[in-house]
Amino acid sequence: MDLEDCEAFYHEEITREMQADGLDPDHETPTYAWLSDRYRGFIAHLSRTFDLSPGDFYDEIGVPPHDGTEESAFAFVDDQDTRQALESYLHELRDRQGRAESTIATRRSVLRRYVETYQQVNDTDDLLSSLQSEQGSSEKKTRVADTFDVLRRLDETLNTHASRLKYVQEVRQFYQHRVDFGKADYDPTTRLERRFGWDSTPDWDNPALKADQIQSLYQTAETPADRLLVSGVCGWGLRPSEVCALHTRQLTLTPDEDDPEGPDPYIDFGENERKNGPGTVALLVGVEELESRINTLDDEHSDEWNGYLLPSSSSKSGHISTETARRHFRKLAEEAGVTVDGSTPTPKMGRRYWYTAYGAAVKRVGERFEDIAEEQGSKSADVVLDNYLSKPERRRHRRDEMRDDLVGLFGS
């Protein structure tokens, strides 16, 4: 499991057992003895893969919740202006920008670790006063570089090119926010990547399933639940957790003629419920399978059915867990003989196929309008798409292209 998988496992499996033992995950984390007694392998995985103790892991994922505020997260910061700036920044991410809570938790964790290290290296946690003037900026940039020099040695999660770049970008967002709103004259992380030799394009190493592999997975799936899982992550681009929690109230399978989303059936996640993704997702494939699944569950369970497409009577949430979905996906891949780089694929690799296919579809739409752009004297097809086609028309063209890629993958 990667760190995101570990976080999901904690929220979906460990917290459930905590509650069964009378613990309160909203206000406490389990003791080391409790965790070791039940999840010794999980502790070993955190240590071996990420060099994280359970306590470090809790800080990384931001548990227990900070009662809706960030004051406790930066209580250790002595400089009042810095502490207030950090708290204000995170509040704005949530309240004004509507960022997902998981995004805010990640940013909070990175900034905590950065400020703690900055404090240790430079004997101060005042991040801001020297940003009021570019005079002396080289000294400030050296302090930041010294901090990252220690961070990359202490934090084993910064052991790849991509992870280092992402960490710098997370910290830079805070400094850039100060510059954008006139609270600082410059950003001390400027050119930091070049200073450390991190300025080349990283190998992000994000392998994806291929079309024929997805077709094999779908054909191998013998149950409606497994077929729904493959369709959800590979054909709709959903996260495994989103497929597990899919509910009938989110589905619009027969849109009205004047529906702003267009004629295609779609999933509506509501505002601010998805991390880094649109609130609605078009169902370009698998609709008949979905309707059949709903009818079957309704017939089998009638009034006792809770509306989840992947229900579970033993789960407090009412639906199967993400770990259960991953286990089913791995089993399907093993039965189908599907591997990626010699390893059993995860649902995330199916989701990457969807985004790869979508990117290719968008590119093909642009290429289709290049001749029109040339006739109009426009610099690129993007100008035609933005200025001469309505939003529904652009969406229709993208979906038509995308549908061509998906047809045939999810059928007999």
Side-chain angles (χ1 to χ4, degrees):
M1 297 189 294
D2 62 18
L3 200 56
E4 181 181 346
D5 296 331
C6 290
E7 180 178 0
F9 181 76
Y10 177 85
H11 287 299
E12 295 162 11
E13 301 291 337
I14 296 178
T15 58
R16 186 184 310 148
E17 189 159 346
M18 289 174 62
Q19 291 168 336
D21 277 6
L23 302 176
D24 184 0
D26 291 334
H27 296 91
E28 61 183 323
T29 54
T31 64
Y32 186 94
W34 185 96
L35 193 67
S36 178
D37 184 52
R38 295 161 177 79
Y39 300 100
R40 185 172 300 175
F42 185 67
I43 294 177
H45 179 67
L46 291 176
S47 176
R48 182 174 58 251
T49 308
F50 309 108
D51 196 30
L52 294 176
S53 67
D56 293 332
F57 172 68
Y58 303 145
D59 286 341
E60 184 73 22
I61 66 174
V63 295
H66 295 291
D67 299 325
T69 65
E70 280 72 46
E71 282 77 7
S72 59
F74 299 104
F76 68 91
V77 180
D78 293 327
D79 184 73
Q80 183 176 355
D81 290 340
T82 297
R83 185 173 63 253
Q84 289 178 347
L86 291 164
E87 292 165 355
S88 175
Y89 169 63
L90 293 177
H91 276 303
E92 179 157 320
L93 289 182
R94 176 191 294 113
D95 300 334
R96 183 164 293 170
Q97 298 183 22
R99 298 293 185 90
E101 190 60 41
S102 53
T103 300
I104 297 169
T106 300
R107 194 70 53 86
R108 181 195 299 120
S109 176
V110 168
L111 289 173
R112 266 181 61 95
R113 188 68 179 272
Y114 172 74
V115 177
E116 287 172 343
T117 308
Y118 187 98
Q119 187 181 55
Q120 295 165 6
V121 172
N122 300 296
D123 294 324
T124 179
D125 53 28
D126 177 5
L127 304 183
L128 306 178
S129 61
S130 59
L131 302 181
Q132 301 304 314
S133 170
E134 290 206 46
Q135 184 176 0
S137 62
S138 60
E139 180 181 352
K140 175 65 175 180
K141 291 178 180 178
T142 298
R143 290 180 182 178
V144 172
D146 290 343
T147 302
F148 271 92
D149 212 17
V150 173
L151 271 172
R152 66 172 177 167
R153 288 175 171 82
L154 292 179
D155 196 334
E156 289 298 321
T157 62
L158 298 182
N159 57 4
T160 67
H161 198 64
S163 64
R164 291 165 184 159
L165 281 179
K166 190 174 189 306
Y167 208 98
V168 172
Q169 291 163 3
E170 296 279 7
V171 174
R172 175 172 291 141
Q173 292 291 330
F174 167 70
Y175 282 119
Q176 195 60 54
H177 178 266
R178 304 293 297 176
V179 173
D180 289 344
F181 291 93
K183 303 295 185 180
D185 282 353
Y186 67 95
D187 170 12
T189 66
T190 300
R191 300 172 70 84
L192 184 67
E193 293 92 337
R194 175 168 294 185
R195 191 165 188 171
F196 280 96
W198 301 342
D199 53 332
S200 60
T201 302
D203 179 7
W204 294 99
D205 191 24
N206 288 331
L209 284 168
K210 297 179 181 178
D212 61 333
Q213 293 176 317
I214 293 171
Q215 189 175 39
S216 295
L217 288 175
Y218 191 85
Q219 291 175 349
T220 301
E222 296 181 353
T223 67
D226 283 348
R227 288 194 291 273
L228 177 63
L229 175 60
V230 176
S231 295
V233 296
C234 304
W236 306 335
L238 303 185
R239 296 178 177 85
S241 59
E242 292 170 340
V243 179
C244 293
L246 197 59
H247 195 280
T248 52
R249 64 171 173 265
Q250 298 171 305
L251 302 175
T252 300
L253 300 183
T254 309
D256 296 332
E257 289 185 5
D258 58 349
D259 194 309
E261 289 299 316
D264 292 309
Y266 62 91
I267 305 170
D268 188 349
F269 288 97
E271 294 183 4
N272 302 326
E273 290 187 18
R274 293 192 86 202
K275 175 185 176 181
N276 302 332
T280 60
V281 174
L283 299 173
L284 304 182
V285 292
V287 176
E288 291 183 3
E289 185 82 30
L290 194 56
E291 291 174 334
S292 175
R293 176 70 173 162
I294 293 172
N295 292 334
T296 300
L297 289 170
D298 191 38
D299 291 340
E300 290 180 353
H301 304 284
S302 189
D303 294 339
E304 296 180 0
W305 180 37
N306 58 16
Y308 287 111
L309 277 297
L310 295 174
S312 170
S313 58
S314 61
S315 171
K316 185 177 179 180
S317 66
H319 56 76
I320 69 171
S321 68
T322 306
E323 184 57 32
T324 298
R326 291 192 182 98
R327 189 164 60 249
H328 279 256
F329 198 89
R330 287 194 295 268
K331 184 179 178 182
L332 274 177
E334 290 169 357
E335 292 177 357
V338 171
T339 62
V340 175
D341 294 339
S343 301
T344 304
T346 63
K348 185 182 295 185
M349 295 178 184
R351 188 168 184 250
R352 287 176 187 151
Y353 164 80
W354 189 93
Y355 275 98
T356 300
Y358 182 77
V362 171
K363 183 178 180 180
R364 289 197 301 272
V365 171
E367 291 172 348
R368 192 192 309 164
F369 282 86
E370 284 181 353
D371 290 341
I372 299 176
E374 187 175 346
E375 292 175 4
Q376 295 281 350
S378 300
K379 293 182 179 179
S380 72
D382 291 339
V383 176
V384 176
L385 292 172
D386 291 339
N387 295 337
Y388 295 95
L389 295 181
S390 66
K391 185 176 180 180
E393 288 174 326
R394 294 197 301 271
R395 183 166 52 213
R396 177 175 60 80
H397 283 291
R398 289 195 300 267
R399 289 179 179 177
D400 287 346
E401 285 288 343
M402 186 69 173
R403 188 180 284 106
D404 290 342
D405 285 330
L406 297 176
V407 168
L409 298 188
F410 305 94
S412 58

